[in-house]
């Protein structure tokens, strides 16, 4: 019972922090970040099709110079759909929810432009144009009218339902069906606009671009923005103060859009064994607060296939730039930015909230939720003196199989790192040994081609992790047993390099690298094989023989550790000497 109460408190606190992050927001397309183009349409009287002329600056879009899609966004003036100024709220709670707008899905790929929309019963309109050899677009419209699942109750333009305005403008029928005539006219207009704005000769530089066309009824041009009004807002009850301190008139009845940890979508994970309005009534969250409890779509940074959110608690509106080189570099960059921008931040107060989530279809799992002070971040960053080999280092702990990706070790290591605790060194070495064995056959094949890049990258990353995650830098330093294995690896590496140089390299020579385990007995055997191989060589071996004699460790592995596997250190010595 006590554990349940603690879990409930943590979840409510996280929800409140997300509320603070989104408090100033007026809504938007939650949970996605896609370039869009508004197309204003009227088919009731004279046909009118107008492409939104507003600039990116008007919408407050700041395209990133290095982002490939910026090439398309700028000339086409395509803002991101989650910007407040775009004025297109989207409160869908899942893929099966009814859509507020008519949207054509667009994609440019390999000199082809494809526009499509899918209706009920998976019927689809498609419009395809090949810029290299098409004179006319290829159009697929299996039916004259495509039935759509549009929300006819929750979105308003002024006092009118958006769905009704769509009907008045002749965009859809009274049953909510889109005609092939409207689809074709909109696509033709957008293709002409594309040809006018995009230089075809430069398209070969860019492989792919995804976007959406949002078809809106023409009266929207003069009647203002779209508003979402939930069923709760329509019910006027006695005002009350909810647990976030906001006045509310009702409790929500629908689940959250993407903050699924604070929802009742899956009864197995429901916090208080309730659904619908009772779920939020038990938590004390009213309708006003509820609309802001969502993961911020403009603040997500994708790292290692997971969604990361970095919220600066004193100023939740601050967003951090993505580094694209792993979680350690991202945390280091965040700390550097905060140190420069906010010198008055109290060192011992929580400054940065870090949330890591994993999506699996409609479910969202919170893998990590931590608050860090500036003092904590400084201690974290100061653990290593040289961060030049940190690129995607912690990401090397992710286990990828043909069927699944396992993030458990990766998340556990990051949690230890953030909490100021240390990882078990023996476990880390075992983990890196397993990873190493999965690469070994490719590396042995690369010995012939003298490829060293992949082994060097692996050992750089693993050594960085050992130094970062284990106490007092002992992780990257070897004891006498490990040093013995490392020295045998050096000898084996020099021997194979010698054999390769003298063109005496064969499968038998490389066999010393193929054992599944390198305990004391195997390491002794490797040394014996090297000595025999040198004695049988047809060339002068004095120099290599003296070098090997100098490299041999003075002490062997102790009896107590004689059967332990020292593969990691053996291979480290091997590949450091195969240059």
């Amino acid at each position: 019972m006590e554990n349940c109460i603690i879990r409930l408190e943590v979840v409510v606190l996280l929800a409140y922090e997300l509320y603070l992050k989104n408090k100033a927001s007026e809504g938007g397309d939650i949970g996605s970040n896609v370039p869009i183009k508004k197309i204003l349409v009227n088919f009731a009287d004279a046909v009118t099709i107008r492409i939104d002329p507003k600039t990116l600056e008007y919408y407050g879009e700041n395209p990133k110079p290095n982002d490939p899609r910026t090439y398309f966004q700028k000339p086409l003036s395509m803002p991101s759909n989650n910007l407040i100024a775009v004025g297109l709220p989207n409160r869908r709670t899942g893929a099966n929810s009814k859509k507020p707008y008519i949207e054509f899905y667009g994609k440019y790929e390999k000199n082809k432009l494809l526009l499509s929309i899918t209706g009920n019963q998976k019927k689809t309109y498609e419009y395809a144009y090949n810029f290299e050899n098409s004179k006319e677009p290829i159009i697929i419209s299996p039916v004259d009218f495509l039935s759509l699942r549009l929300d006819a109750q929750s979105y308003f333009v002024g006092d009118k339902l958006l769905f009704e305005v769509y009907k008045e403008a002749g965009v859809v029928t009274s049953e909510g069906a889109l005609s092939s005539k409207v689809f074709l006219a909109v696509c033709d207009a957008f293709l002409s606009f594309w040809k006018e704005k995009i230089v075809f000769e430069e398209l070969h530089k860019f492989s792919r671009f995804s976007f959406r066309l949002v078809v809106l009824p023409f009266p929207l041009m003069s009647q203002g923005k779209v508003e979402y009004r939930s069923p709760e807002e329509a019910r006027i009850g006695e005002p009350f103060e909810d647990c976030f301190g906001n006045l509310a008139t009702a409790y929500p009845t629908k689940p959250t859009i993407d903050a699924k940890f604070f929802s009742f979508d899956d009864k197995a994970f429901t916090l208080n064994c309730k659904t619908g309005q009772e779920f939020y009534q038990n938590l004390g969250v009213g309708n006003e607060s509820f609309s802001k409890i969502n993961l911020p779509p403009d603040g997500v940074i994708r790292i290692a296939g997971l969604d990361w959110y970095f919220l600066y608690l004193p100023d939740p509106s601050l967003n951090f730039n993505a580094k694209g080189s792993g979680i350690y570099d991202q945390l280091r960059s965040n700390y550097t930015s905060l140190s420069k921008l906010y010198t008055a931040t109290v060192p011992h107060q929580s400054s940065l909230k870090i949330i890591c989530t994993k999506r699996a279809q409609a479910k969202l799992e919170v893998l990590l939720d931590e608050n860090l002070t500036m003092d904590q971040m400084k201690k974290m960053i100061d653990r290593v003196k040289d961060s030049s080999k940190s690129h995607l280092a912690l990401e090397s702990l992710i286990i990828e199989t043909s069927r699944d990706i396992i993030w458990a070790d990766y998340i556990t290591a990051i949690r230890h790192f953030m909490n100021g605790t240390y990882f078990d060194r023996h476990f880390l070495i075992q983990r890196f040994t397993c990873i190493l064995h999965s690469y070994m056959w490719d590396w042995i094949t690369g010995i012939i081609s003298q490829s060293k890049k992949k082994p060097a990258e692996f050992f750089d990353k693993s050594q960085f992790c050992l130094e970062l995650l284990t106490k007092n830098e002992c992780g990257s330093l070897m004891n006498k047993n490990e040093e013995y294995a490392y020295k045998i690896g050096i000898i084996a590496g020099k021997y194979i390099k010698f054999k390769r140089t003298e063109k005496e390299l064969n499968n038998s020579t490389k066999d010393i690298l193929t054992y599944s385990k390198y305990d004391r007995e195997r390491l002794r055997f490797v040394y014996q094989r090297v000595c025999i191989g040198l004695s049988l060589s047809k060339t002068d071996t004095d120099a290599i023989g003296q070098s090997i004699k100098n490299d041999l460790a003075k002490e062997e592995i102790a009896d107590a550790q004689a059967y332990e596997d020292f593969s990691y250190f053996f291979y480290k010595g091997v590949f450091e000497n195969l240059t």
Side-chain angles (χ1 to χ4, degrees), residues 197-242:
K197 298 294 183 180
I198 299 291
V199 180
F200 170 68
E201 287 73 19
E202 297 181 3
L203 283 175
H204 69 277
K205 300 178 183 177
F206 306 92
S207 59
R208 182 168 181 162
F209 175 61
S210 297
F211 60 93
R212 296 180 198 168
L213 302 182
V214 183
V215 179
L216 298 168
F218 179 68
L220 275 179
M221 179 73 78
S222 58
Q223 293 186 22
K225 62 182 181 180
V226 179
E227 293 181 358
Y228 171 81
R229 299 173 191 170
S230 65
E232 290 82 16
E233 292 173 350
R235 300 196 304 269
I236 301 175
E238 189 69 26
F240 62 91
E241 184 176 301
D242 70 3

Side-chain angles (χ1 to χ4, degrees), residues 79-98:
S80 299
N81 55 351
N82 53 29
L83 294 174
I84 295 171
V86 170
L88 296 177
N90 191 337
R91 299 294 300 180
R92 296 175 68 204
T93 58
N96 293 325
S97 302
K98 293 183 178 181

Side-chain angles (χ1 to χ4, degrees), residues 50 55 66 69 71 131 256 279 307 336 387 459 479 546:
R50 290 191 183 179
T55 64
N66 297 327
R69 71 182 189 178
Y71 171 79
F131 288 95
T256 52
F279 178 87
D307 291 336
T336 302
S387 61
F459 286 108
N479 59 39
Q546 186 59 47

Side-chain angles (χ1 to χ4, degrees), residues 38 96 347 380 401:
K38 294 180 183 179
N96 293 325
M380 288 162 50
T401 67

Side-chain angles (χ1 to χ4, degrees), residues 37-56:
K37 193 66 181 177
K38 294 180 183 179
I39 312 288
L40 290 301
V41 175
N42 191 327
F43 270 70
D45 302 314
V47 175
T48 303
I49 298 177
R50 290 191 183 179
I51 296 177
D52 180 20
K54 296 184 179 67
T55 64
L56 293 182

Side-chain angles (χ1 to χ4, degrees), residues 343-391:
T343 54
T345 301
V346 180
H348 59 272
Q349 288 185 355
S350 293
S351 298
L352 187 67
K353 167 165 278 294
I354 300 170
I355 304 169
C356 176
T357 65
K358 182 182 74 170
R359 294 181 181 273
Q361 297 179 348
K363 294 182 175 62
L364 181 138
E365 181 181 357
V366 178
L367 301 179
L368 189 143
D369 174 18
E370 299 288 344
N371 287 359
L372 298 177
T373 67
M374 293 297 287
D375 279 347
Q376 283 179 295
M377 284 187 276
K378 186 178 187 307
K379 290 178 181 178
M380 288 162 50
I381 301 305
D382 288 346
R383 276 195 184 186
V384 290
K385 296 176 182 179
D386 181 12
S387 61
S388 60
K389 298 177 181 179
S390 62
H391 181 80

